[in-house]
Amino acid sequence: MLANYHTHTIRCKHAVGSEREYIESAIEKGFKVLGFSDHVPQPYPEGFVSPIRMDMSELPDYTKTLCELRDEYKDKIEILIGYEVEYSRQYFEPLMKELNKYPLDYMILGQHHVPDEVSGRYVGFETKSEEELAEYVDFCIEGLETGLFLYLAHPDLIKYTGPNDIYLKHMERLVEAMLDLNIPAEVNMYGFSDGRNYPCDLFFSMASSKGVKFVIGCDAHSPDAIRQPEDIPGFTEFLSRNKVVYGDNLIFG
Ligand SMILES: [Zn+2]
Ligand SMILES: [Zn+2]
């Protein structure tokens, strides 16, 4: 594939490597487009410090650094400036006000918490609650309906361990919304290589049967994680058995 839109940096406190190291790695692996989508800072209440994202005060430096590198590397690779954003009812509007003050090419939706990080729960924790599953799907749909997202990252992040028919009932709602809104679903390489619950066969076999579009995301938390699908043992088999078709991965613009 030629593009990856899911790249973190050391700024999010749980990744390693400078922006430059990710760019060098992408060039080496044959990418033509590299989108940075570090975890967006959030305008949380005074005193709440998120352990998984940069602070609001780092926005100017994040974007300035990427603008400079974009210019420096323009003959070798196209650099895009983005974020992985959580949608929340309380913080989304003030967040967009801040983000729009700086260069911004795109955002991907990564719904890690419901209803938000301050007052809610991490959706990657195991749950058998249909209510929590439904609420996760509702938040993803509400976020996508803003029309501001390029794609939905790890749509199957939620670790629901109840019955498959209940899981599919709600995840089908999500896929139908993505079809209506013409938004692709990401197959997350980081989750796969890390042995997480996502990406899962149940979701992706259903999603491909419904005709949703796919994009592959490295979700790189280290420069060496900027990789091609065939670099990850078992990943292309996962894609083919779930009929996930992908091409050059160029979806932007
Ligand atoms: Zn994520
Ligand atoms: Zn990510």
Side-chain angles (χ1 to χ4, degrees):
M1 62 193 192
L2 298 177
N4 168 52
Y5 304 98
H6 198 158
T7 313
H8 294 282
T9 76
I10 196 168
R11 293 172 197 272
C12 71
K13 304 170 189 152
H14 64 286
V16 294
S18 67
E19 290 84 350
R20 185 182 296 279
E21 289 172 299
Y22 285 89
I23 294 169
E24 293 285 348
S25 178
I27 293 168
E28 196 191 308
K29 299 284 169 54
F31 287 89
K32 296 292 175 212
V33 178
L34 181 66
F36 281 88
S37 53
D38 212 351
H39 290 282
V40 81
Q42 292 274 4
Y44 292 146
E46 197 66 31
F48 182 90
V49 179
S50 168
I52 56 155
R53 59 187 74 253
M54 67 178 100
D55 300 321
M56 293 302 288
S57 63
E58 293 176 82
L59 271 179
D61 192 58
Y62 174 67
T63 49
K64 182 170 169 276
T65 302
L66 290 177
C67 284
E68 287 169 2
L69 289 165
R70 182 178 62 189
D71 293 344
E72 184 184 332
Y73 282 91
K74 67 176 187 298
D75 297 330
K76 289 183 177 156
I77 191 166
E78 184 181 355
I79 303 297
L80 297 170
I81 302 169
Y83 299 95
E84 180 176 11
V85 176
E86 316 228 2
Y87 172 78
S88 74
R89 290 173 188 151
Q90 191 170 350
Y91 304 108
F92 192 65
E93 222 183 281
L95 169 67
M96 289 314 301
K97 253 186 210 142
E98 284 306 305
L99 294 190
N100 283 324
K101 292 178 184 168
Y102 305 96
L104 172 62
D105 293 318
Y106 74 97
M107 304 191 300
I108 59 177
L109 178 65
Q111 197 65 39
H112 309 93
H113 301 88
V114 172
D116 58 63
E117 192 180 356
V118 179
S119 64
R121 59 185 183 276
Y122 175 56
V123 300
F125 291 141
E126 192 173 329
T127 179
K128 286 186 163 51
S129 161
E130 180 177 359
E131 196 185 330
E132 289 182 11
L133 172 65
E135 208 182 3
Y136 167 73
V137 168
D138 290 343
F139 265 76
C140 288
I141 294 174
E142 206 172 304
L144 294 176
E145 282 175 341
T146 62
L148 295 173
F149 293 101
L150 180 66
Y151 73 63
L152 177 58
H154 42 58
D156 51 345
L157 176 71
I158 187 156
K159 196 172 184 179
Y160 177 74
T161 52
N164 284 355
D165 59 330
I166 304 275
Y167 177 79
L168 286 172
K169 181 176 85 179
H170 290 285
M171 293 309 244
E172 279 172 9
R173 288 200 291 125
L174 179 55
V175 168
E176 298 291 351
M178 297 174 81
L179 283 165
D180 285 348
L181 297 162
N182 195 26
I183 290 177
E186 180 201 70
V187 194
N188 192 277
M189 292 207 314
Y190 176 58
F192 189 90
S193 63
D194 200 40
R196 298 187 175 198
N197 60 297
Y198 61 92
C200 73
D201 291 87
L202 192 57
F203 177 82
F204 280 96
S205 56
M206 177 273 287
S208 66
S209 75
K210 291 195 175 290
V212 84
K213 283 188 211 145
F214 296 108
V215 53
I216 313 277
C218 293
D219 197 358
H221 286 74
S222 60
D224 62 359
I226 305 277
R227 287 179 286 186
Q228 296 289 342
E230 50 277 16
D231 295 338
I232 296 173
F235 188 60
T236 54
E237 288 82 353
F238 172 85
L239 298 175
S240 56
R241 76 171 172 262
N242 291 302
K243 300 190 169 54
V244 172
V245 178
Y246 73 101
D248 55 19
N249 221 29
L250 290 166
I251 54 163
F252 193 81

